[in-house]
Each structure stands twice: as structure tokens, then as C-alpha cells.
């Protein structure tokens, strides 16, 4: 079970870091889109990015101390639930042009839950 937990943790950490770093630095199209299309402030975009980077760090450290990894995976899932809400509010699921990017959080929620569960079982 530990191998599965490790694979899921590393995979989720890489996704979380790749998504969070540009937001934390306010660089790239995603940060600009969140500010212009969704109306989020630069501070909120940076906060979300830092939360995603912290989740990545927590998932990696959680391989050695599972309670931290479980908390990081649950925290990332909660962040993704918020992302789904913001995408729904912006109408991204109804628009074919934006639907693809808006689907990522929906797929990441079960991955986060699976990571938390496998880390718990591997303890």
C-alpha cells in the first residue's frame, strides 16, 4: 500500500506544484486569466498558488510523516472544490471554449481523496 501512496503523493505533488507556482509568482496566462476572467484579486490568486505549493511540499514530506501528507491531500481537495465553485460561477462548464481547463479540478478531487486514503492505510 505504501508504494501506491507514494506514487499518488508524488503525482499529486507534481500537479499541485505545476499549478501553484505560476499563481504564487503571478506569472503566465493562468494568473492573468484568473484575475481578468474570474475577477479574482492578485492577492487571492497568490494565496491560492501558495496553498497549492504548500500542498505539494506537504505531500512529499507526508511520505515520511503520513499525517502531514493526509492533511495536505485533504487541503488540496478542498482547494479544488473551491475551484469548481469558481468555475461554475464563471460559467466555464457551459462554455465549450473554457470547459476543458475547468474540468481539471473535478478530476483532481478524487485523486486527492485517493491519496489521503492510501496514505492513511499505509500508516
Amino acid at each position: 500500500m505504501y508504494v501506491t501512496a507514494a506514487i499518488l503523493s508524488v503525482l499529486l505533488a507534481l500537479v499541485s506544484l505545476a499549478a501553484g507556482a505560476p499563481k504564487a509568482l503571478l506569472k503566465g496566462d493562468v494568473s492573468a486569466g484568473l484575475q481578468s476572467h474570474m475577477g479574482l484579486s492578485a492577492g487571492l490568486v497568490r494565496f491560492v498558488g501558495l496553498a497549492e505549493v504548500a500542498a505539494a511540499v506537504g505531500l512529499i514530506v507526508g511520505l515520511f510523516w503520513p499525517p502531514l501528507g493526509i492533511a495536505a491531500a485533504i487541503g488540496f481537495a478542498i482547494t479544488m472544490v473551491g475551484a469548481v465553485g469558481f468555475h461554475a460561477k464563471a460559467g466555464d462548464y457551459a462554455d465549450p471554449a473554457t470547459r476543458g481547463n475547468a474540468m481539471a479540478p473535478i478530476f483532481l478531487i478524487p485523486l486527492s481523496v485517493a491519496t489521503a486514503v492510501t496514505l492513511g492505510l499505509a500508516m
Side-chain angles (χ1 to χ4, degrees):
M1 189 57 69
Y2 181 77
V3 173
T4 304
I7 291 169
L8 289 174
S9 292
V10 169
L11 177 65
L12 191 60
L14 290 172
V15 169
S16 180
L17 184 62
K23 291 175 198 158
L25 299 172
L26 296 177
K27 302 274 185 191
D29 296 336
V30 173
S31 295
L34 288 173
Q35 292 176 53
S36 64
H37 174 65
M38 295 220 184
L40 301 180
S41 68
L44 183 56
V45 172
R46 180 166 285 162
F47 176 76
V48 170
L50 290 172
E52 291 174 346
V53 170
V57 172
L59 285 161
I60 297 302
V61 173
L63 293 173
F64 306 101
W65 190 47
L68 182 61
I70 294 167
I74 292 170
F76 187 72
I78 292 168
T79 303
M80 293 299 103
V81 169
V84 169
F86 273 100
H87 282 293
K89 183 179 175 185
D92 289 341
Y93 296 111
D95 183 3
T98 58
R99 186 178 304 139
N101 289 336
M103 293 301 290
I106 291 175
F107 295 121
L108 291 173
I109 292 169
L111 178 64
S112 300
V113 171
T115 302
V117 169
T118 56
L119 280 168
L121 292 175
M123 287 177 56

